[in-house]
Each structure stands twice: as structure tokens, then as C-alpha cells.
């Protein structure tokens, strides 16, 4: 995991500069915000908070927000810009420093496909959540993120050619510098969540508020780029 964290320390500045106003990311945040629902008075952990921009949105909704990331560069960026949030450096593949049964919601935005050991994180999320608390996370859609687009003779993107979805694999990406992507099936996420004591309560691939589609490329209004999963701690 040290290599992955170093990758994100190097990519932090470019990622932050490109994502705050990116239509794709705004759509992802809208999906997560809808799943969070009424946040006023809730104690929330933003796990893998990046530069803290979404953490601050949660604070504005009235939540008491804690936020952490494995990349020190992200945490320093967040601390320098946002007040009233307890930011810390935490490796999500290891035991977290938070106490048992404390949080109402643990949220993780586009992080879990970037770490190799999600079992530890699911176990830790269960430990620090109150009974019936929510774990809400989004990932790049494992069905449609990595496959290439098939285009017509004019270059219009028609559909994704899905060939190896059921094969777990690791790929290096180069959007903001080198980062590592861990491809897992939705079934794999489901099995690991159940083992950790969670029950999936909702899966969402697009926001209910369709205005967030207006600025997306046409093909992304047909083929989802993200999937968000809401889970309840049931044991």
C-alpha cells in the first residue's frame, strides 16, 4: 500500500485541480449526497477524503465531520483550506484510530478501487459505526470503467466492449500521474460486505436529480461511470 500512497502524494495537486468542477465528479458527489440524506447532527467520517472538498460539503449540510486520507499531501491541502473538520492521515488498509461505535455514517468517495485490501477497511468501518449506521461508498463502475468504447465511423462513442469483467486484475492509470486501479466485480464487493457485517440497502448508478446529467457527455448519460453502494451495519 505504501507504493499506492506515494502515487497519490505525487498525483494530489493535479487531481485536486481537475476534479472540483469536473461534471463527472459533481455527479458522483450528488449521488453520495442523496444517499446521505439528512446530515444535520450526524457524526460522519469521510474516509479517503482527498483534498477535503467533499468533506466540507458534508460539514455545510450540518454534519460533525472527521476526514482522513492515506496521502499526506491531500491532508495537508485539506487542513490549509477547510476549518471545523478533524483531518488526519490514516492508511485505510490498517486499523483506524477512531473509537468503536462512534460514527453515524462512514462515507468513501471513489477510493476503494484504489486500495488492495478492502477487507480491513470494511471491518474497521463496521467497528467504528454505531449499530444500524451507514457505510456509503462510490467506486468507478467495474462493468464499464476499464473497457474501451466502440465508435462509429464518425468517432461517436456507441457502447463499451465488456470482455473481461469477471477477471480480477490490477492496472496502472495515468490521468493525474501514475495510480493503481484494482478491478473487482460487484459480486466480490457484496460478498466482502456481507462477511464484514453489512447488508446492502441501496445501489445507485445515477443521481435522482437529473440536472446533473446536463453537463455530462452524451455517452455518459447512457452508460454509468460510477456506482454507489449504501450499506447498513447489521451485526
Amino acid at each position: 500500500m505504501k507504493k499506492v500512497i506515494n502515487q497519490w502524494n505525487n498525483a494530489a495537486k493535479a487531481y485536486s485541480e481537475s476534479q472540483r468542477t469536473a461534471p463527472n465528479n459533481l455527479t458522483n458527489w450528488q449521488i453520495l449526497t442523496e444517499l446521505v440524506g439528512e446530515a444535520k447532527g450526524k457524526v460522519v467520517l469521510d474516509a479517503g477524503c482527498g483534498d477535503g472538498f467533499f468533506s466540507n460539503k458534508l460539514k455545510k449540510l450540518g454534519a460533525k465531520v472527521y476526514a482522513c486520507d492515506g496521502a499526506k499531501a491531500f491532508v495537508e491541502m485539506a487542513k490549509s483550506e477547510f476549518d471545523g473538520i478533524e483531518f488526519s492521515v490514516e492508511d485505510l488498509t490498517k486499523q483506524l484510530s477512531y473509537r468503536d461505535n462512534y460514527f453515524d455514517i462512514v462515507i468513501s468517495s471513489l477510493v476503494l478501487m484504489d486500495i488492495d485490501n478492502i477487507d480491513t477497511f470494511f471491518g474497521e468501518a463496521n467497528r467504528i459505526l454505531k449499530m444500524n449506521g451507514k457505510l456509503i461508498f462510490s467506486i468507478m463502475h467495474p462493468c464499464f470503467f476499464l473497457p474501451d468504447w466502440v465508435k462509429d465511423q464518425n468517432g461517436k462513442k456507441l457502447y463499451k466492449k465488456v470482455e473481461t469483467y469477471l477477471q480480477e486484475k490490477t492496472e496502472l492509470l495515468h490521468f493525474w500521474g501514475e495510480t493503481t486501479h484494482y478491478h473487482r466485480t460487484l459480486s466480490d464487493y457484496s460478498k466482502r460486505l456481507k462477511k464484514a457485517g453489512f447488508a446492502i440497502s441501496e445501489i445507485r448508478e445515477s443521481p435522482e436529480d437529473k440536472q446533473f446529467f446536463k453537463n455530462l457527455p452524451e455517452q455518459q448519460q447512457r452508460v454509468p461511470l460510477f456506482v454507489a453502494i449504501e450499506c447498513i451495519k447489521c451485526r
Side-chain angles (χ1 to χ4, degrees), residues 1 3 37 39 77 98 104 123-124 139 144 157 179 223:
M1 189 60 186
K3 177 183 176 181
M77 202 180 296
Y98 309 106
D104 297 295
E124 283 296 284
I139 52 175
F144 308 118
K157 294 177 179 178
T179 58
V223 180

Side-chain angles (χ1 to χ4, degrees), residues 149-152 155-159 218-219 222:
W149 284 99
V150 175
K151 303 176 183 178
D152 66 13
K156 180 181 178 180
K157 294 177 179 178
L158 301 176
Y159 56 89
E218 182 274 337
Q219 69 273 8
R222 295 184 282 108

Side-chain angles (χ1 to χ4, degrees), residues 13-212:
K13 186 173 185 294
Y15 181 87
S16 179
E17 289 174 348
S18 67
Q19 292 302 294
R20 289 192 178 188
T21 58
N24 285 331
N25 215 20
L26 294 176
T27 301
N28 166 59
W29 285 336
Q30 177 62 23
I31 295 171
L32 293 175
T33 301
E34 290 174 357
L35 289 174
V36 167
E38 177 56 61
K40 188 174 182 179
K42 299 289 180 63
V43 184
V44 178
L45 173 65
D46 186 3
C49 64
D51 65 5
F53 191 73
F54 187 60
S55 311
N56 194 54
K57 288 174 68 71
L58 293 168
K59 188 191 81 169
K60 289 180 178 179
L61 292 174
K64 167 61 177 174
V65 180
Y66 295 75
C68 65
D69 201 281
K72 185 178 179 181
F74 272 138
V75 174
E76 290 177 347
M77 202 180 296
K79 285 182 175 180
S80 70
E81 186 171 357
F82 302 113
D83 297 321
I85 299 170
E86 296 193 29
F87 291 104
S88 61
V89 177
E90 300 272 354
D91 183 342
L92 298 186
T93 67
K94 298 180 180 179
Q95 183 173 350
L96 302 178
S97 64
Y98 309 106
R99 63 180 184 264
D100 296 357
N101 306 308
Y102 181 64
F103 292 97
D104 297 295
I105 300 171
V106 173
I107 194 163
S108 187
S109 174
L110 301 180
V111 174
L112 299 188
M113 70 282 173
D114 294 333
I115 64 176
D116 58 350
N117 177 10
I118 59 173
D119 289 325
T120 296
F121 173 70
F122 286 157
E124 283 296 284
N126 183 284
R127 178 182 66 79
I128 64 178
L129 276 167
K130 299 173 183 176
M131 184 58 67
N132 298 317
K134 290 183 180 181
L135 168 62
I136 301 170
F137 66 92
S138 62
I139 52 175
M140 305 306 297
H141 204 303
C143 296
F144 308 118
F145 175 57
L146 290 178
D148 294 327
W149 284 99
V150 175
K151 303 176 183 178
D152 66 13
Q153 64 270 26
N154 297 315
K156 180 181 178 180
K157 294 177 179 178
L158 301 176
Y159 56 89
K160 289 272 193 166
K161 188 176 182 181
V162 181
E163 297 180 289
T164 59
Y165 169 71
L166 290 177
Q167 298 175 6
E168 289 194 14
K169 53 183 177 287
T170 303
E171 292 204 12
L172 292 179
L173 307 179
H174 296 88
F175 293 109
W176 313 281
E178 184 177 276
T179 58
T180 303
H181 178 91
Y182 297 91
H183 170 76
R184 306 176 182 92
T185 64
L186 290 172
S187 296
D188 188 52
Y189 281 99
S190 176
K191 286 187 291 186
R192 292 169 189 265
L193 285 164
K194 182 179 180 180
K195 182 179 178 182
F198 289 102
I200 294 174
S201 52
E202 186 166 354
I203 295 176
R204 194 173 294 188
E205 295 164 302
S206 65
E208 289 187 344
D209 187 342
K210 299 306 179 185
Q211 70 166 327
F212 285 85

